[in-house]
Amino acid sequence: KTELLRLQGMIIPGFRAVEDEAREEAKEEAMVEPQHIEAEAEKNVHSEDGEALPRPSARVLRCEPFTAATEAAQAVLFEDDSARGAIAGDKLQALLHGLPAAAAGAAFCLGRAAMPMGAAATEDASVPFSVSFVLQNDGAVAWPTSAALVHIAGDDFGFPMLELGPLGAGEAAQLVMDLTVHSSNVRHGLVAPSAWALIDTASGEIFGPVLTVEVVGFSP
């Protein structure tokens, strides 16, 4: 099981800890707008005696441009920066349609990869790239030990799940998703979103925004 690393400067596959200084920089200088992205559902539930119990919560602090894993991938992978950010309105409703009801609330697009169809036409072509972003626990309680980032819709691009474990209230962590797009899944002009959610795998509860990565084909 992947254990959460705090402020140690260590790296494990798919997960990287963020030091306090970097976290403050993310808040003050490099926040992605809007700065407060959270599910519309209330962060509190009630106990049997009626007292409000805090629920886990999360928001995106920062999201980096995609990084191609190879020179060949770099030659055919382009990113539409305008797609990165909070998802709202009709696009949000269309995305959430068909997802678990608990996912309804907020969503954040980590980016859109655009691939020229001529370069992606070969059946065995694949394009590996990574997505790096910073999540913050913006709630009043630590994430559960069974917290994980889980694929819930679309192509998982070889990234079905990442166990995260607890993250204290106010703490932030950098996640790195290593993805691979296969040419057979790229369609001209069709934006194909894939979605992941923060889930307490013990209870099935979804918390924080749904996170998406989009892929679209275009004619060079």
Side-chain angles (χ1 to χ4, degrees):
K1 179 179 179 179
T2 298
E3 295 183 355
L4 183 66
L5 300 184
R6 292 189 182 86
L7 316 182
Q8 297 178 13
M10 298 176 63
I11 297 175
I12 56 179
F15 189 93
R16 301 177 188 178
V18 175
E19 297 184 355
D20 286 328
E21 182 177 350
R23 185 165 68 246
E24 291 304 318
E25 179 183 359
K27 292 180 182 177
E28 299 174 4
E29 300 179 2
M31 280 189 180
V32 182
E33 295 294 340
Q35 297 180 4
H36 300 284
I37 296 173
E38 58 187 29
E40 292 177 355
E42 295 182 0
K43 293 184 181 180
N44 295 326
V45 294
H46 293 82
S47 62
E48 294 181 357
D49 58 5
E51 291 187 8
L53 298 176
R55 295 172 55 188
S57 181
R59 65 172 176 168
V60 178
L61 282 181
R62 183 181 65 199
C63 184
E64 305 290 347
F66 293 164
T67 302
T70 65
E71 290 186 4
Q74 187 174 8
V76 298
L77 180 69
F78 302 88
E79 186 175 3
D80 180 358
D81 293 333
S82 66
R84 189 186 305 117
I87 302 174
D90 292 341
K91 184 176 180 181
L92 175 62
Q93 297 307 314
L95 169 69
L96 297 178
H97 180 70
L99 294 183
F108 189 96
C109 180
L110 299 173
R112 177 183 298 164
M115 296 174 56
M117 294 305 297
T122 305
E123 291 185 0
D124 61 355
S126 61
V127 179
F129 64 100
S130 62
V131 182
S132 175
F133 57 100
V134 176
L135 285 180
Q136 183 191 37
N137 177 348
D138 65 340
V141 296
W143 292 352
T145 57
S146 51
L149 182 65
V150 181
H151 173 256
I152 58 173
D155 191 330
D156 67 9
F157 303 132
F159 194 94
M161 176 179 175
L162 175 65
E163 294 181 346
L164 300 177
L167 185 70
E171 292 185 338
Q174 181 176 6
L175 277 67
V176 179
M177 301 170 64
D178 295 320
L179 310 178
T180 299
V181 175
H182 296 282
S183 59
S184 58
N185 295 328
V186 179
R187 297 292 182 269
H188 182 273
L190 177 63
V191 177
S194 294
W196 291 260
L198 290 167
I199 298 179
D200 178 353
T201 57
S203 66
E205 178 184 8
I206 295 177
F207 59 95
V210 172
L211 305 175
T212 70
V213 172
E214 300 177 351
V215 176
V216 61
F218 70 94
S219 297

